[in-house]
Amino acid sequence: MLLGVVFFSCKAARKAEVKNDTVSKEVQVPFKMDTITAKLELAPPEGFNTTVIEIMQVYVVSKEEPAVGLTITDLKGENVLHRLPQYSNSESYSFGGGVYYEVHKGEKALLTINTFDQKPIPSRVIISGFYKK
């Protein structure tokens, strides 16, 4: 009897029609960057319209207090500065975390890591997100 119930329930499941009206025609390609730099420019690569940044983590080892900023220049040429959240102890700093920034075709994002007197500080930068068409 148990086998009969399993057989008929599986048979009924195969006949069920699945409709998916939320299929996106948008192509998303994930990316991850892990580098050491004091300045990093981000823009959509060839063939993509948007770069979406979901995680941006900057690790700075410095005795001087650093400043980390992400400046996005839009299509009109206007700059928007984003400050990343900061966590610190006596000799190291961590900026960023879960974020959401979109950089569209023709725009660029510039990540800079400096001391307050504008000296660049090479630091570890980890960024992940996706490109979309």
Side-chain angles (χ1 to χ4, degrees):
M1 187 162 138
L2 181 60
L3 289 173
V5 170
V6 172
F7 174 77
F8 286 111
S9 64
C10 290
K11 189 172 182 180
R14 277 188 255 151
K15 289 184 180 180
E17 191 173 319
V18 176
K19 289 186 179 181
N20 190 354
D21 295 331
T22 61
V23 174
S24 174
K25 293 181 181 171
E26 203 170 71
V27 175
Q28 295 182 353
V29 177
F31 74 90
K32 181 179 179 187
M33 294 180 196
D34 188 344
T35 187
I36 296 178
T37 187
K39 185 184 275 189
L40 181 65
E41 190 171 308
L42 300 163
E46 188 70 33
F48 291 93
N49 295 323
T50 307
T51 297
V52 177
I53 302 166
E54 295 181 308
I55 296 173
M56 178 177 284
Q57 197 68 48
V58 180
Y59 299 101
V60 184
V61 177
S62 172
K63 292 196 184 266
E64 297 182 57
E65 190 171 338
V68 176
L70 178 70
T71 304
I72 297 179
T73 306
D74 66 15
L75 295 173
K76 298 175 188 172
E78 295 179 12
N79 293 329
V80 178
L81 176 64
H82 299 276
R83 295 174 139 205
L84 299 174
Q86 175 185 345
Y87 310 94
S88 65
N89 63 29
S90 61
E91 291 188 18
S92 68
Y93 300 85
S94 177
F95 293 84
V99 297
Y100 187 88
Y101 301 116
E102 285 190 9
V103 182
H104 302 283
K105 192 173 192 172
E107 298 178 340
K108 69 176 182 177
L110 181 64
L111 177 69
T112 55
I113 306 153
N114 299 319
T115 62
F116 278 106
D117 57 349
Q118 299 303 310
K119 286 189 247 169
I121 305 173
S123 305
R124 184 168 186 202
V125 177
I126 300 172
I127 300 173
S128 66
F130 57 92
Y131 303 122
K132 63 182 180 178
K133 288 189 177 193

